[in-house]
Amino acid sequence: MTDASRTERPAGRRRPRQSDIARVAGVSQAAVSLILRGTPSGMALAKETRQRVLDAAEELGYVPDPVATRLASARNAMLGLYTFSTTFPTDVAHSYYPILAGVEEEAGAQGQDLILFTGSARAAARADDPAAVRRVRVADGCLFFGRHVPEEPIRRLAEDGFPFVYIGRRDEPGIPYVGADYVSASADVVARLAAAGHRELRYLREHDQAPASDDRQEGVLRGARAAGMDTAGLVARTDGGDLDTLLRRWLDEGVTGVVVEQTDTGAALAGLGAAVDRAGLRCPQDLSLAVLGAATGTRGRAPGGGAAFSGFDVPMREMGRDAVRLLLELIAGAPGGATRRLLPCEPVEGGTVAAPRSAKKNT
Amino acid sequence: MTDASRTERPAGRRRPRQSDIARVAGVSQAAVSLILRGTPSGMALAKETRQRVLDAAEELGYVPDPVATRLASARNAMLGLYTFSTTFPTDVAHSYYPILAGVEEEAGAQGQDLILFTGSARAAARADDPAAVRRVRVADGCLFFGRHVPEEPIRRLAEDGFPFVYIGRRDEPGIPYVGADYVSASADVVARLAAAGHRELRYLREHDQAPASDDRQEGVLRGARAAGMDTAGLVARTDGGDLDTLLRRWLDEGVTGVVVEQTDTGAALAGLGAAVDRAGLRCPQDLSLAVLGAATGTRGRAPGGGAAFSGFDVPMREMGRDAVRLLLELIAGAPGGATRRLLPCEPVEGGTVAAPRSAKKNT
DNA sequence: CTGAAAGCGCTTACAG
DNA sequence: CTGAAAGCGCTTACAG
């Protein structure tokens, strides 16, 4: 490739590189590399020479090429963030925004730039295309997240020893992650409903499978058993038919409280909320409603009222921050603590849980 | 660096590369590249040879190294996004989120990855440090945004012919941008207030200077003049003293409608809203209120009621998308259209503007 | 203490 | 139609 063919740059001036600095400073290109990187050998050079190189670099506005840096097998101080869902959903309310915020914050604090791998190059739907995932290699390491994550392309990265961290718990053994302790938090929500006097509850979860949903369900079951409730028929999925019908049946069965999971799509909560509205019910007067996992700042309002949902918050921002820290430890080759971490969720009092009608007298 | 030191690969087997395929297939490494990339020259090779290479690649499980690929091509398919404000404010409501969303969306659609330059590496406060800005050169081009933008470091980039685009209108000649047409949109808001019967209006703007604020003010003045209103004393700034006092004075002066600008900080609107609340006023019954530039999805609720603000929406998402398109054209060296673009703002009916009390009879 | 050389894994003009 | 060579911009052993 001739130099001319590369110069498609509008104004024509190409980026300065080490050899340019070398020419100006009158040293070899390799010396420039040594000096700029501040290596021991670089520092050992004559002070006067070093200064000349440093000055030239400054004057030319030199910035190292991260791709070349990485190919030559060093670090480039870039962390990747790869999402298997829409990174920026149109509906702000149900986004991963807080996670991004946390990742960005910590990356900045650690002097790392962030590369957003925005799904697949051509089709967002093919974000799990192995070739698409491979792109993350330009970074020193990568963060992954999304409700559903393809295992194959990630396994390859793992085999190759490429450092990465999941945001969200994973089942696959050995894979580093920073997740939320949904089990404990969900059990706690049920315990609070039981303490308020509820004996007949139902749990509505999304119809698809994901670690985050499985954990919530386990927590709900655990909480119900701890409260001495019957767990048969406790769990329902959004695909269990018409939600209006379901809700009516529950009321007929004497249900006084419903627990629903809030995920990235928010489908379960939105569907149930609409059904509650259509039934003309108010929360918590007619029905107590608890939500598992709304994120701070993105929580919606309860149907038939303006109260904040009762439940717990997912520490998304903190998950993002901690994932960056863990990734950096992995890149450095020295994980300081556990490589699989579960962060506690903050209970939220909210205003959609109260004592059931029939139990209003006490508790 | 010895090969051994590179082999941190757990399983030990290093990734196959083109030269491995070449050896197996009995061709040159360059031929492998040609064939695998499916270039014209590659396709022109003997069918039999091509198949041998393809088979070998398949058998070895070859996947191209994206780092090397990018280094060898002129472009690295990375776009920068540099913010001179907090990229991810904690308060989601007043964030640039929709712009980010648009940028991410279009970048993904165009097969570009996004590098988030999170202010300065060490101190967010020094985001306007020239050295910090220089880092953007690692990308093929860069998007800039923020209410206040330092001119010096950018000028330097322009001199060097580095492709970049501002999100938001700029005064500096020649600088490419994608902004919003605040002038027209603001004039239109005043026109609507006038059409509703308002004759005595006030405009409250932020105290600091920025193109976005200047444009709104110009639009307001233009709209007022078009409606035959007196523009003396029309404009007030948030630093014009206590807002409660200001509001009381306005009411004494017979003001029936207030226009306020909504910027990233949201200070003017928040302050005025609070003052209106404290004065016990309801919108639009006691006072009409129009907001210049709330972004879709991040708009707040009017004081003394739950109505959405009347005014206009800033097409943030579309600005983000269009800025990416323009940047890509600049990088390719062939801007298809204007390099300075103003996008129209969508009028928002809202519920905070009504006929003034004294004019309730008609209009 | 300093410099020249090889190499990272690709792409692409260019010569047979 | 095919192959060998140079180059992308760095890092890092290695030889003077």
Side-chain angles (χ1 to χ4, degrees):
Chain A
M1 175 186 279
T2 70
D3 190 71
S5 83
R6 288 191 66 87
T7 310
E8 300 172 56
R9 205 168 291 277
R13 189 128 94 244
R14 94 181 140 42
R15 300 174 34 153
R17 44 193 187 216
Q18 292 184 345
S19 59
D20 296 321
I21 299 175
R23 200 176 335 104
V24 171
V27 298
S28 72
Q29 174 266 321
V32 171
S33 172
L34 260 18
I35 292 171
L36 257 27
R37 297 199 54 242
T39 58
S41 351
M43 299 305 283
L45 297 188
K47 190 164 192 295
E48 208 269 344
T49 308
R50 288 188 53 232
Q51 198 53 54
R52 236 176 31 239
V53 167
L54 261 15
D55 289 345
E58 176 66 32
E59 180 196 325
L60 294 174
Y62 173 77
V63 191
D65 181 328
V67 176
T69 303
R70 191 138 166 83
L71 180 59
S73 170
R75 304 272 159 67
N76 62 11
M78 298 207 256
L79 266 25
L81 178 59
Y82 198 106
T83 314
F84 291 98
S85 318
T86 313
T87 311
F88 296 97
T90 306
D91 185 352
V92 178
H94 299 124
S95 76
Y96 290 117
Y97 181 90
I99 289 185
L100 263 173
V103 168
E104 200 256 4
E105 185 179 10
E106 186 67 22
Q110 304 274 355
Q112 306 284 313
D113 287 320
L114 207 59
I115 309 184
L116 251 39
F117 295 99
T118 79
S120 143
R122 234 112 289 204
R126 287 203 331 236
D128 51 353
D129 171 5
V133 173
R134 212 159 46 223
R135 289 165 26 234
V136 304
R137 286 176 168 282
V138 306
D140 291 342
C142 191
L143 262 21
F144 290 100
F145 77 95
R147 185 168 162 85
H148 298 107
V149 176
E151 302 184 11
E152 168 55 21
I154 314 289
R155 235 205 19 241
R156 284 216 64 137
L157 289 177
E159 277 172 12
D160 291 350
F162 183 82
F164 63 88
V165 171
Y166 268 96
I167 298 179
R169 189 183 70 75
R170 301 299 306 170
D171 284 320
E172 304 90 320
I175 289 194
Y177 63 73
V178 175
D181 186 358
Y182 291 126
V183 176
S184 304
S186 300
D188 177 59
V189 165
V190 172
R192 278 148 57 200
L193 279 160
H198 294 272
R199 307 306 304 162
E200 202 65 43
L201 299 178
R202 291 294 180 273
Y203 174 57
L204 181 66
R205 63 168 285 179
E206 302 282 353
H207 70 278
D208 60 345
Q209 187 118 2
S213 286
D214 295 342
D215 287 358
R216 287 176 171 95
Q217 175 167 331
E218 186 187 328
V220 167
L221 290 172
R222 189 177 295 186
R225 279 191 292 264
M229 293 180 198
D230 185 12
T231 59
L234 177 62
V235 178
R237 297 200 179 212
T238 47
D239 61 349
D242 171 29
L243 282 181
D244 295 290
T245 309
L246 191 65
L247 181 60
R248 208 168 310 121
R249 175 150 51 91
W250 284 352
L251 293 173
D252 289 346
E253 293 169 353
V255 168
T256 57
V258 175
V259 179
V260 58
E261 81 166 328
Q262 164 77 309
T263 63
D264 52 349
T265 70
L269 178 57
L272 182 65
V276 168
D277 270 342
R278 281 191 296 266
L281 299 174
R282 293 158 307 160
C283 297
Q285 297 92 328
D286 304 316
L287 184 72
S288 280
L289 187 61
V291 175
L292 304 186
T296 304
T298 63
R299 108 148 5 95
R301 294 277 133 178
F309 288 118
S310 302
F312 62 79
D313 268 344
V314 180
M316 291 205 192
R317 193 176 190 104
E318 191 47 48
M319 284 164 68
R321 297 196 57 138
D322 205 36
V324 168
R325 287 186 215 110
L326 177 53
L327 181 57
L328 249 16
E329 290 172 9
L330 253 23
I331 291 172
T339 58
R340 298 161 74 88
R341 308 174 183 172
L342 249 24
L343 269 33
C345 299
E346 187 75 16
V348 172
E349 178 75 19
T352 57
V353 165
R357 264 195 205 300
S358 52
K360 274 269 160 50
K361 28 203 164 184
N362 62 353
T363 306
Chain B
M1 177 184 279
T2 68
D3 190 71
S5 82
R6 290 190 66 86
T7 310
E8 300 174 55
R9 201 169 297 279
R13 186 133 93 245
R14 99 180 139 43
R15 303 173 32 149
R17 46 196 185 214
Q18 292 184 346
S19 59
D20 295 323
I21 300 176
R23 200 176 336 104
V24 171
V27 298
S28 73
Q29 174 264 320
V32 172
S33 172
L34 261 18
I35 293 170
L36 256 29
R37 297 198 55 240
T39 58
S41 355
M43 298 305 284
L45 296 188
K47 191 162 193 294
E48 206 271 342
T49 308
R50 290 188 52 233
Q51 198 52 54
R52 237 177 29 239
V53 167
L54 261 16
D55 288 346
E58 175 67 33
E59 179 196 325
L60 293 174
Y62 172 79
V63 290
D65 181 331
V67 180
T69 304
R70 288 188 184 192
L71 180 59
S73 345
R75 308 270 162 66
N76 63 18
M78 298 203 257
L79 265 26
L81 179 60
Y82 199 105
T83 315
F84 292 97
S85 318
T86 313
T87 312
F88 295 97
T90 305
D91 185 351
V92 178
H94 299 124
S95 77
Y96 289 118
Y97 180 90
I99 289 186
L100 264 173
V103 168
E104 199 256 7
E105 186 179 10
E106 187 65 23
Q110 304 274 355
Q112 305 288 311
D113 289 319
L114 215 56
I115 308 185
L116 252 38
F117 294 101
T118 78
S120 141
R122 235 113 289 204
R126 287 203 331 238
D128 51 353
D129 170 6
V133 173
R134 200 160 58 212
R135 286 167 33 239
V136 307
R137 303 190 69 156
V138 306
D140 289 338
C142 191
L143 262 21
F144 290 100
F145 77 95
R147 184 169 164 82
H148 299 107
V149 177
E151 301 185 12
E152 169 53 23
I154 314 290
R155 237 206 15 244
R156 182 73 206 256
L157 290 177
E159 278 172 13
D160 290 352
F162 181 81
F164 63 89
V165 172
Y166 267 96
I167 298 179
R169 190 182 70 73
R170 302 300 306 171
D171 284 318
E172 305 89 321
I175 289 194
Y177 63 73
V178 175
D181 186 358
Y182 290 127
V183 177
S184 303
S186 299
D188 178 58
V189 165
V190 173
R192 277 149 57 202
L193 279 159
H198 294 271
R199 307 306 306 163
E200 202 65 45
L201 299 178
R202 290 295 179 273
Y203 174 57
L204 181 67
R205 64 169 283 180
E206 302 281 353
H207 71 277
D208 61 345
Q209 185 120 3
S213 287
D214 295 342
D215 288 358
R216 286 175 171 95
Q217 176 167 329
E218 187 188 327
V220 167
L221 291 173
R222 188 176 298 185
R225 280 192 292 264
M229 292 180 197
D230 184 12
T231 59
L234 178 63
V235 178
R237 295 199 181 214
T238 46
D239 60 350
D242 172 28
L243 283 181
D244 295 288
T245 310
L246 192 65
L247 181 59
R248 208 169 307 120
R249 174 149 53 90
W250 285 351
L251 292 173
D252 289 345
E253 293 170 353
V255 167
T256 57
V258 175
V259 180
V260 58
E261 81 166 330
Q262 164 78 311
T263 63
D264 52 349
T265 71
L269 177 57
L272 182 65
V276 168
D277 270 343
R278 282 191 296 267
L281 299 174
R282 293 157 307 160
C283 296
Q285 296 93 327
D286 305 317
L287 185 72
S288 279
L289 187 59
V291 175
L292 304 186
T296 304
T298 63
R299 111 148 2 95
R301 294 278 133 176
F309 288 118
S310 301
F312 63 77
D313 267 343
V314 181
M316 292 205 190
R317 193 177 189 101
E318 190 48 46
M319 285 164 68
R321 298 196 57 139
D322 205 37
V324 169
R325 287 186 215 110
L326 177 54
L327 180 58
L328 250 16
E329 290 172 9
L330 254 22
I331 291 173
T339 59
R340 297 160 75 87
R341 308 174 183 173
L342 248 27
L343 270 32
C345 298
E346 185 76 16
V348 172
E349 178 74 21
T352 58
V353 166
R357 261 196 205 302
S358 53
K360 272 273 162 43
K361 28 200 163 184
N362 62 354
T363 306

